[in-house]
Amino acid sequence: MATTTGLVQRMSVSSAFTCAWIGPTPNNVELLTVTNDGTAADIALAATHAQTLSAAAANYRVVSAQHADDSAKVLSLEFEPV
């Protein structure tokens, strides 16, 4: 399991997926994705992840996104405490 930590520098949202560029600076980011497999539970989780990333971007909050070593799909998110 890999973890990418930093600010959400940029986001792109569509009905099929969300892309988030996360890193310490705009020039030092990793592109991560939020997708779903079509099940109700996974659709709800993907929507929550997209909303969480959007809130982090709007409020300049550092996030830690967990994803598989060989995948950019976000599996879980954490905020740093205020």
Side-chain angles (χ1 to χ4, degrees), residues 27-74:
N27 294 327
N28 184 11
V29 295
E30 186 166 345
L31 172 61
L32 300 177
T33 61
V34 176
T35 60
N36 67 73
D37 62 12
T39 63
D42 205 41
I43 290 170
L45 180 62
T48 300
H49 283 165
Q51 291 171 349
T52 300
L53 289 167
S54 179
N59 293 293
Y60 304 102
R61 297 288 305 277
V62 173
V63 296
S64 293
Q66 286 76 39
H67 51 93
D69 291 333
D70 61 350
S71 173
K73 181 179 179 182
V74 174

Side-chain angles (χ1 to χ4, degrees), residues 9 50-51 76:
Q9 300 290 343
Q51 291 171 349
S76 66

